[in-house]
Amino acid sequence: MFSKVNSIGLMGLNAFRVEVEIESSAGLPAFDIVGLADAAVRESRERIRSAFRSSRLGFPKGKVLVNLAPADVKKSGTVHDLAIAVSLMCAAGIIDPKQIQSAAFVGEVSLSGEMRRINGVLPMTILAQKDLTEIYVPQENLLEASAVRGIKAYGVESLEQLARHFSGKEIMQPAPVFSPAKADYLSSLDFADVRGQAAAKKALEIAAAGGHNVLMIGSPGSGKSMLAKRMPSILPEMTFEESIETTGIHSVAGVLDSQRPLITTRPFRSPHHTVSAAGLAGGGTPPRPGEISLAHNGLLFLDELAEFSRPALEILRQPLEDMKVTISRVSGSITYPSSFMLIGAMNPCPCGYYGHPGRKCICSKHQVEHYLNKISGPLLDRFDIHLEVAPVEFADLSSAEKEEPSASIRQRVQAARDIQNKRYEGTGITCNARITPEIIHEVCAMTDAAEKMLEGIFDKMGLSARAYEKILKVARTVADMDGAEVIDKAHIAQAVQYRSLDRKYWKS
């Protein structure tokens, strides 16, 4: 007897169809799996045998051969357990193969016959939705699968339940389409808690509006971490496409909350400075997304930036430029998206008080230079905004006056981002920080006075081509926040002031 069951595999974020073919024939009892399966897939033989016994289901007699097609693509993990079990149920006459022609099955089977959750259900369901009508997943993954419209998602608790369903004894109902609640930004830390620091708040508001990278330098206790941790409260809303893409990455990484299957608030990732280069970029066997991919469409905060290892910092350069990270192995390469805002915070020297107005730095000139040079020139150039966070004044700390809450700041950020969404509609560009060189002069039109000012600044400061583009992009965001179509002198002047710290601290 021959039958075929649809399953779905995963390579990075890319899901692909797998056909589980089974052929049972007379002969000595045997159960073999072929089709370039890894150890986890081959071990499914013993799991499924035990699951059939525990579920009191009849195992096919004679010789059973299972092939995972296409046979030239490696299959890994436990995601095919359920499809293999269903194919055996077809061979044993428990399920009619005609009932499952338009359905896909993914999930791990336990020894007791119960289903265990797996990673990557969202991209699998998106693929299945293209040409199938049903997908069966573990009950714990059901909410995640139900976020995809256009396909019926069923939650399976056990093989026994599945057998009763297809025999008509206990019909399972598809899950309703998941509708996420409106994102609650007010639950985040609020900028109203930050005393003073008006200039820093304004710079971070501009960064949030345009998706710009920020480097903050300041003495200990000036509020760098406090400011950065409140950034999620002013970031603009995610589009549905961004939510799906971000959720897919978290699903593959296995860090998705089963009760919140669709990410609707922008991710905020803050790895410790001991993180390895692989921890940031991703890796492992099979390769998994790292912190820079988990921050996709959100924010990556690196506190104590100069304490990160040089390899970890330098690995950021390519993703910041290309908005993707490629993990290469002998077996092939996997690419994960990594379009994120980077916020770095650091002290100006080992003791933290170099340039402090009230405390003396105890570091030698060599120690200061060595500390600052941990941040390479090319990485420094990739920060759109350089921000010096000054010590908080006593008057600000003791003032009874209330600070502006995040909700008010976020309204201005969202208004500026709405302008950008309309401007870049259909181009694939999501914000001003992602403007491509091909259209930068088209969308960053300047007045004659602004252009003349920028020309003089370019020559005087000896800016690189990248720094010139960064100034233009930040000026475009400042103009958007002012509601201006054309960039003026004031917008250029404000953008230029955020490119001065490399001249102050990283002196040639």
Side-chain angles (χ1 to χ4, degrees), residues 234-313:
I234 65 170
L235 293 177
E237 290 182 0
M238 296 182 80
T239 63
F240 181 74
E241 292 74 17
E242 287 176 329
S243 292
I244 290 291
E245 194 174 30
T246 305
T247 303
I249 297 171
H250 285 242
S251 175
V252 169
V255 296
L256 192 64
D257 185 350
S258 61
Q259 299 306 311
R260 296 182 60 210
L262 195 63
I263 295 174
T264 54
T265 56
R266 296 188 181 275
F268 178 85
R269 306 293 299 185
S270 180
H272 192 260
H273 62 76
T274 56
V275 68
S276 65
L280 279 176
T285 306
R288 290 160 55 93
E291 290 291 337
I292 59 179
S293 293
L294 293 173
H296 181 60
N297 290 323
L299 190 152
L300 177 67
F301 174 46
L302 302 184
D303 201 5
E304 303 297 342
L305 187 67
E307 301 300 335
F308 283 76
S309 69
R310 189 64 175 252
L313 290 178

Side-chain angles (χ1 to χ4, degrees), residues 355-490:
H356 193 280
R359 294 189 60 171
K360 184 179 179 181
C361 173
I362 61 173
C363 304
S364 67
K365 182 180 179 181
H366 174 73
Q367 286 176 316
V368 173
E369 290 178 353
H370 177 73
Y371 187 81
L372 292 173
N373 285 335
K374 291 181 179 180
I375 313 300
S376 68
L379 179 60
L380 185 64
D381 220 16
R382 283 168 170 80
F383 286 99
D384 307 39
I385 294 175
H386 300 167
L387 177 61
E388 186 166 25
V389 183
V392 185
E393 299 289 341
F394 176 79
D396 292 324
L397 290 174
S398 59
S399 172
E401 185 178 347
K402 292 185 178 180
E403 299 286 342
E404 185 178 21
S406 293
S408 300
I409 301 173
R410 188 170 176 274
Q411 286 180 351
R412 297 194 296 269
V413 168
Q414 188 63 55
R417 189 61 70 93
D418 288 342
I419 292 171
Q420 295 166 52
N421 290 336
K422 185 177 181 180
R423 178 188 299 135
Y424 306 125
E425 188 175 4
T427 65
I429 298 172
T430 56
C431 58
N432 286 334
R434 307 287 177 250
I435 298 173
T436 58
E438 295 81 12
I439 65 168
I440 189 166
H441 292 291
E442 177 186 341
V443 300
C444 296
M446 295 180 281
T447 63
D448 292 340
E451 189 169 0
K452 188 174 181 180
M453 172 186 271
L454 186 54
E455 181 183 358
I457 291 169
F458 182 86
D459 293 334
K460 183 178 179 180
M461 297 178 66
L463 298 175
S464 67
R466 182 180 287 117
Y468 167 80
E469 288 190 354
K470 298 290 188 187
I471 290 174
L472 266 185
K473 292 174 183 179
V474 173
R476 178 66 271 171
T477 301
V478 175
D480 287 341
M481 297 188 75
D482 282 350
E485 287 286 337
V486 181
I487 298 171
D488 206 349
K489 281 179 64 177

Side-chain angles (χ1 to χ4, degrees), residues 106-128:
V106 291
E108 178 182 338
V109 177
S110 70
L111 298 182
S112 65
E114 295 178 345
M115 301 303 302
R116 291 198 174 111
R117 69 170 292 130
I118 57 173
N119 299 334
V121 163
L122 183 66
M124 293 178 184
T125 308
I126 291 172
L127 177 71

Side-chain angles (χ1 to χ4, degrees), residues 73-283:
V73 178
K74 188 171 183 178
K75 323 301 184 307
S76 60
T78 59
V79 299
H80 305 299
D81 282 12
L82 180 57
I84 294 172
V86 170
S87 69
L88 291 167
M89 292 163 78
C90 290
I94 300 172
I95 294 177
D96 184 353
K98 294 180 182 178
Q99 294 177 286
I100 58 173
Q101 288 178 350
S102 61
F105 299 83
V106 291
E108 178 182 338
V109 177
S110 70
L111 298 182
S112 65
E114 295 178 345
M115 301 303 302
R116 291 198 174 111
R117 69 170 292 130
I118 57 173
N119 299 334
V121 163
L122 183 66
M124 293 178 184
T125 308
I126 291 172
L127 177 71
Q129 181 265 342
K130 293 179 180 178
D131 51 12
L132 298 173
T133 60
E134 299 176 347
I135 186 167
Y136 292 79
V137 302
Q139 183 66 38
E140 288 184 67
N141 292 114
L142 182 58
L143 277 179
E144 186 180 344
S146 66
V148 180
R149 293 171 172 79
I151 187 169
K152 296 178 181 178
Y154 294 84
V156 182
E157 295 180 355
S158 65
L159 293 184
E160 193 175 357
Q161 178 197 28
L162 199 63
R164 292 198 301 269
H165 168 71
F166 284 109
S167 66
K169 296 178 181 177
E170 185 180 322
I171 302 298
M172 298 160 55
Q173 297 299 320
V177 175
F178 176 76
S179 298
K182 188 173 178 61
D184 181 15
Y185 289 87
L186 298 180
S187 63
S188 305
L189 297 171
D190 201 292
F191 269 96
D193 304 328
V194 183
R195 292 289 178 180
Q197 301 295 9
K201 290 178 183 177
K202 183 61 179 178
L204 292 177
E205 179 182 339
I206 294 169
H212 302 290
N213 302 325
V214 183
L215 174 62
M216 294 191 290
I217 300 181
S219 57
S222 57
K224 302 184 296 296
S225 300
M226 192 176 188
L227 287 163
K229 290 176 181 178
R230 281 154 179 76
M231 282 294 288
S233 66
I234 65 170
L235 293 177
E237 290 182 0
M238 296 182 80
T239 63
F240 181 74
E241 292 74 17
E242 287 176 329
S243 292
I244 290 291
E245 194 174 30
T246 305
T247 303
I249 297 171
H250 285 242
S251 175
V252 169
V255 296
L256 192 64
D257 185 350
S258 61
Q259 299 306 311
R260 296 182 60 210
L262 195 63
I263 295 174
T264 54
T265 56
R266 296 188 181 275
F268 178 85
R269 306 293 299 185
S270 180
H272 192 260
H273 62 76
T274 56
V275 68
S276 65
L280 279 176

